[in-house]
Amino acid sequence: MSDSMHRPSRLHAFAAAIGAMLLAGCTLAPRYEQPAAPIAAQYDAVSVADATGAVPASAVGWREFFTDPTLQGLIDTALRNNLDLREAALNVEAARAQYRIQRAELLPTLNATGSGSVQKTPTSALGFGSAAGGGGGGGADSIIIRAYSAGIGVTSYELDLFGRIRSLNKARLADYLSLEEARRSTQISLIAQVASSYFALLADERLLAVTRSTFESQQSTLTLTQQRVNVGVADALTLRQVETSVYTAQANLARYERQVKQDRNALAQLLGVPSLPENLSAGSGLDEQRLAVQLAPGLPSELLVRRPDILAAEHSLIAANANIGAARAAFFPSITLTGSYGSTSPDLDGLFDSGTESWSFSPSIRIPIFAAGANRANLDLAHVQKDINVARYEAAIQTAFREVADALAARSTYDEELKAQQGLADAANESFKLANLRYERGVDSYLTVLDSQRSQYTAQQSLETLKLARLQNLATLYKVLGGGWSQSTQARTAEAQN
């Protein structure tokens, strides 16, 4: 038969292949539509001008936000060593590999093959008499058959006529992007945790210093009172009152020493290091101007494109939407192609000689007829999973809105509370000085001094605790607004432009 007689069938096959490739671009996944955000247009704690008047938190690099050099070094160490962040990064790598595996199914897999076989068969089994031959040197009662082949082949390549593989590929891509956003969320949380832990260490060290100063002062008072009792100027009741204050301060001193050690252990764990340097804070206090900068909250709608946890939830929703397309495709026929091309010869050195060409082509079609409701159940499951992811996406938005609103509400009240607490601490200091002076001059009993000292100590504790809460609120606000994606503001701006 001439080659011209084969040409029409080859053209038809080529046209069919092109048509299959065109059909492969279609999927049965429903069109994705982003759900409406179930949040208000702006936060109650800020005006529209405040929300839009400055650089948003997500565009502020953490080195520009946390301005203390020591804290910057701690964050940098944590980003390199923290095990939770490392696990999140490895999860991203695993998801990327799974996406590449799924994407590979869009193209046929070519394999080079080679095989050889040697078979000895009795001549009687072939229907020959005992004298019929010993071809191949196998003797009078048997025959040896040799066969060798080599070539390339396609094994079980599915034509993606209804987009099943493309839907699965889109779902794996969305899963990968979701885990990438989860890694960013882990990084943001880690930065905020390191900052909060560092602030807690500074606050407890300050409280430890205040308690130690109080303890030393009361020890001096106890020595002086003991001397006055010895000469009959003071009574035993006054001595016992002084001892009470000394023991109370001693107990507080032990408590804050323990708390400082625990703060250092917690910070070391976040950083992924065995221990911290002894002079880490070097007596630094909670000076907000030195430790961090102020933020613009932005509008609630901006959270949808800045909060990694919201973006991760949306990518999971996109994956669930794509899985519906794969479940729908199961109701339609699927075509699988298997083929090979190569050379077959009875002699190994005869492979690829003229006349040894061989090929095979084995298309198969699978038409679903009865699956006991499995396909329908898989489709129903895909729809339910999408609804679940819609609920998770909306819940992530609502949670983000509440976290920002709570942080802003706290920020709007901390300033006034700090101002009042500072006034209370100053008044308590003056009261203690006056009470001590009156006691030394014999005007009042030591009980008045003791009450004034307790008030002074309590006011100072509350002031330092409030400063800590104010700084931790600022770190929390930075986190919940989506800040901490990059080191510097300039780099983040460049990323946004690209």
Side-chain angles (χ1 to χ4, degrees):
M1 185 177 291
S2 67
D3 184 67
S4 61
M5 297 180 66
H6 289 286
R7 188 174 294 113
S9 61
R10 291 177 179 175
L11 291 176
H12 291 160
F14 179 75
I18 294 297
M21 293 176 64
L22 292 176
L23 285 173
C26 304
T27 66
L28 298 178
R31 180 180 178 182
Y32 173 74
E33 294 182 0
Q34 186 183 55
I39 53 177
Q42 67 182 78
Y43 305 108
D44 293 336
V46 296
S47 65
V48 176
D50 294 334
T52 58
V55 178
S58 60
V60 178
W62 57 262
R63 285 192 178 274
E64 276 72 31
F65 178 73
F66 297 112
T67 54
D68 179 58
T70 301
L71 178 55
Q72 290 176 353
L74 294 176
I75 293 175
D76 190 58
T77 301
L79 293 179
R80 292 195 310 267
N81 300 330
N82 183 265
L83 295 180
D84 290 336
L85 187 59
R86 187 185 305 175
E87 180 182 353
L90 292 175
N91 287 334
V92 172
E93 293 300 320
R96 181 183 298 163
Q98 290 173 344
Y99 164 62
R100 291 167 55 197
I101 293 171
Q102 184 63 55
R103 184 180 60 183
E105 294 190 14
L106 292 172
L107 299 175
T109 300
L110 296 178
N111 296 305
T113 61
S115 64
S117 66
V118 179
Q119 179 179 354
K120 179 179 180 181
T121 305
T123 54
S124 60
L126 299 176
F128 300 123
S130 61
D141 298 328
S142 63
I143 182 173
I144 295 178
I145 302 174
R146 294 180 174 87
Y148 303 94
S149 65
I152 58 174
V154 176
T155 304
S156 299
Y157 171 60
E158 179 181 346
L159 294 178
D160 197 23
L161 299 179
F162 300 99
R164 186 186 73 86
I165 297 177
R166 290 185 180 274
S167 294
L168 292 176
N169 183 59
K170 187 174 183 180
R172 296 295 82 74
L173 175 60
D175 288 337
Y176 158 62
L177 294 176
S178 178
L179 283 174
E180 173 62 26
E181 296 299 337
R183 184 200 64 80
R184 290 184 175 185
S185 182
T186 301
Q187 174 180 315
I188 291 174
S189 297
L190 175 62
I191 291 173
Q193 285 178 332
V194 171
S196 295
S197 296
Y198 179 64
F199 297 155
L201 175 59
L202 295 182
D204 286 336
E205 285 183 338
R206 175 60 181 163
L207 289 169
L208 176 61
V210 171
T211 304
R212 182 176 289 114
S213 176
T214 301
F215 175 66
E216 292 173 354
S217 174
Q218 290 176 347
Q219 276 190 317
S220 299
T221 302
L222 177 60
T223 301
L224 179 60
T225 304
Q226 182 66 59
Q227 293 173 354
R228 299 180 68 177
V229 169
N230 292 339
V231 298
V233 178
D235 56 16
L237 176 60
T238 301
L239 180 62
R240 296 296 175 259
Q241 290 172 340
V242 176
E243 288 178 344
T244 300
S245 62
V246 169
Y247 290 138
T248 301
Q250 188 177 15
N252 289 336
L253 185 63
R255 177 163 60 91
Y256 284 118
E257 286 176 345
R258 178 176 65 252
Q259 188 62 47
V260 167
K261 291 179 181 179
Q262 292 176 345
D263 290 340
R264 293 176 64 86
N265 293 338
L267 189 54
Q269 182 183 7
L270 286 175
L271 269 57
V273 296
S275 61
L276 300 177
E278 289 298 328
N279 59 344
L280 175 66
S281 58
S284 301
L286 294 176
D287 183 4
E288 184 174 315
Q289 299 299 322
R290 183 183 61 83
L291 295 171
V293 300
Q294 296 299 318
L295 290 172
L299 297 173
S301 58
E302 296 172 350
L303 292 177
L304 304 184
V305 295
R306 292 175 180 166
R307 283 268 301 226
D309 55 339
I310 295 178
L311 296 176
E314 185 173 13
H315 284 307
S316 296
L317 175 57
I318 293 173
N321 189 74
N323 285 331
I324 293 178
R328 285 177 174 175
F331 289 88
F332 296 90
S334 63
I335 298 177
T336 303
L337 303 181
T338 302
S340 65
Y341 176 83
S343 175
T344 302
S345 172
D347 300 312
L348 183 61
D349 57 359
L351 284 175
F352 305 109
D353 288 348
S354 177
T356 63
E357 177 186 18
S358 65
W359 59 268
S360 67
F361 180 61
S362 304
S364 63
I365 184 171
R366 183 186 67 84
I367 302 176
I369 297 178
F370 176 73
N375 290 337
R376 171 57 61 182
N378 284 329
L379 181 58
D380 292 342
L381 176 61
H383 279 288
V384 171
Q385 289 176 334
K386 178 184 177 181
D387 292 339
I388 291 173
N389 280 276
V390 168
R392 289 175 178 172
Y393 174 69
E394 293 177 346
I397 295 175
Q398 290 179 340
T399 299
F401 181 85
R402 180 188 58 79
E403 288 177 347
V404 175
D406 287 348
L408 290 173
R411 187 182 72 166
S412 65
T413 57
Y414 273 131
D415 291 338
E416 290 298 321
E417 188 176 0
L418 271 172
K419 183 179 178 180
Q421 188 62 43
Q422 184 65 61
L424 178 60
D426 293 340
N429 288 336
E430 291 298 322
S431 176
F432 171 67
K433 291 178 182 178
L434 293 174
N436 197 46
L437 183 60
R438 291 171 63 86
Y439 168 71
E440 291 176 354
R441 294 181 178 180
V443 178
D444 284 332
S445 66
Y446 187 75
L447 182 59
T448 303
V449 178
L450 185 59
D451 289 340
S452 298
Q453 192 173 45
R454 287 173 178 170
S455 298
Q456 179 203 36
Y457 181 58
T458 301
Q460 190 65 38
Q461 282 182 310
S462 299
L463 180 61
E464 296 300 326
T465 302
L466 195 55
K467 288 180 180 179
L468 171 62
R470 177 69 174 87
L471 272 171
Q472 289 182 330
N473 169 256
L474 194 59
T476 298
L477 182 61
Y478 183 58
K479 179 188 74 171
V480 299
L481 287 174
W485 285 18
S486 61
Q487 290 194 39
S488 63
T489 302
Q490 292 77 8
R492 183 70 185 104
T493 303
E495 290 174 11
Q497 292 174 351
N498 292 336

